[in-house]
Amino acid sequence: MNAIETRNLTKKFNSFTAVDSINLEIKQGEIFGLLGPNGAGKTTTISMLSTLLEPTSGVAGVWEYDIIKEKDLVRKSIGMVFQDPSLDDELTGRENLDFHGRLYRMDSELRKKRIEEVLKLVELENRAGDLVKTYSGGMKRRLEIARGLMHRPKVLFLDEPTLGLDPQTRRKLWDYIKKLNEEEKITIILTTHYMDEADFLCHRIAIIDHGKIIALDTPEKLKEIFGGDIITLDAS
């Protein structure tokens, strides 16, 4: 069973086609990247897969649940980290996680246990009692990832997870993403327009532009096809 399958998935806004007949098969346990410039259709694609938008045509399944006919089952199977901040700055880190657990009707004991697990995973246990408005940008992103993991989703969507972060914080967040993929055995769908990010994190990458997938393969194979010489600088 694949984690995600789409067949001719399409989304139109009046005469504009944002996503144009996308076909995907994403494996369980894979970190899969959607790489492309702003406006390429990446966010629209994951918005359909996460049931936030209904497709104009085509079909898609997440963990074999139909994104139109079985929305509630899809939502129970996924976690989501949005491109724009969505935390409550006036609550503590722990309170944000507790609120999310209540939305998913997790009982009190399970919520407490899971909160401590995800805080440890993203190394925020020492700041859990602080108001989120005192967190750095990188800490907020880590808390958002922790929140997305609270209900043990099978698939986690990360929409531009390092947008606006400094290079050092971005690299640390990459390490957390790899760690949760390995330790939580979770399938991750990542959108980004950073080629280095997709190369470092993803098992496979789909390059999307103008709503169409123009290439799909491993980072190594795509670099063989499209790449030239690369110089990497290591500050350490």
Side-chain angles (χ1 to χ4, degrees):
M1 183 183 84
N2 288 317
I4 290 176
E5 292 186 14
T6 74
R7 292 289 178 269
N8 299 317
L9 190 65
T10 299
K11 182 63 181 179
K12 295 183 178 182
F13 297 96
N14 298 318
S15 60
F16 173 69
T17 302
V19 175
D20 192 354
S21 297
I22 280 181
N23 295 299
L24 290 173
E25 290 186 0
I26 299 173
K27 303 169 187 175
Q28 292 184 32
E30 187 171 22
I31 303 181
F32 187 90
L34 287 171
L35 173 66
N38 292 333
K42 306 184 301 295
T43 297
T44 302
T45 298
I46 68 168
S47 293
M48 288 189 284
L49 293 175
S50 59
T51 76
L52 296 175
L53 282 177
E54 284 208 3
T56 305
S57 60
V59 295
V62 177
W63 221 254
E64 293 194 323
Y65 298 127
D66 187 282
I67 63 170
I68 297 175
K69 299 175 182 177
E70 299 173 294
K71 287 182 180 179
D72 287 344
L73 292 172
V74 171
R75 290 168 183 168
K76 289 177 181 177
S77 301
I78 67 173
M80 186 83 185
V81 177
F82 298 96
Q83 185 178 136
D84 296 320
S86 58
L87 298 167
D88 190 327
D89 281 352
E90 297 301 323
L91 297 179
T92 67
R94 181 173 278 107
E95 287 169 341
N96 270 275
L97 297 177
D98 184 71
F99 181 69
H100 183 86
R102 290 172 187 268
L103 289 176
Y104 277 85
R105 299 180 180 177
M106 299 169 68
D107 65 54
S108 177
E109 287 304 312
L110 180 58
R111 282 201 315 275
K112 290 178 183 177
K113 180 175 182 291
R114 192 61 182 148
I115 285 170
E116 298 311 314
E117 288 175 348
V118 297
L119 284 171
K120 184 177 180 181
L121 182 67
V122 299
E123 298 180 10
L124 283 175
E125 57 265 60
N126 294 332
R127 295 293 304 273
D130 297 342
L131 295 178
V132 168
K133 64 184 178 183
T134 68
Y135 285 17
S136 68
M139 290 171 64
K140 288 180 179 179
R141 294 308 270 174
R142 282 152 53 196
L143 183 63
E144 286 179 314
I145 291 173
R147 184 185 60 183
L149 296 172
M150 269 291 293
H151 58 290
R152 290 194 180 277
K154 297 177 176 67
V155 178
L156 180 66
F157 292 100
L158 301 177
D159 190 13
E160 303 279 4
T162 65
L163 188 67
L165 300 180
D166 63 84
Q168 185 178 12
T169 303
R170 284 179 65 222
R171 181 57 187 258
K172 286 183 179 178
L173 197 58
W174 293 354
D175 292 334
Y176 289 118
I177 292 169
K178 278 204 167 187
K179 180 181 176 182
L180 71 90
N181 172 249
E182 294 167 0
E183 294 188 4
E184 297 280 310
K185 309 301 180 187
I186 191 169
T187 304
I188 296 174
I189 316 302
L190 169 84
T191 74
T192 183
H193 59 262
Y194 298 125
M195 289 185 288
D196 58 337
E197 183 163 276
D199 183 25
F200 182 85
L201 287 172
C202 298
H203 300 120
R204 287 190 303 149
I205 300 168
I207 299 176
I208 184 171
D209 196 20
H210 297 291
K212 287 182 174 290
I213 293 177
I214 58 175
L216 196 164
D217 216 320
T218 65
E220 292 74 20
K221 289 290 181 64
L222 290 174
K223 284 187 288 187
E224 287 176 9
I225 296 170
F226 298 108
D229 294 331
I230 297 175
I231 298 175
T232 301
L233 300 178
D234 188 345
S236 63

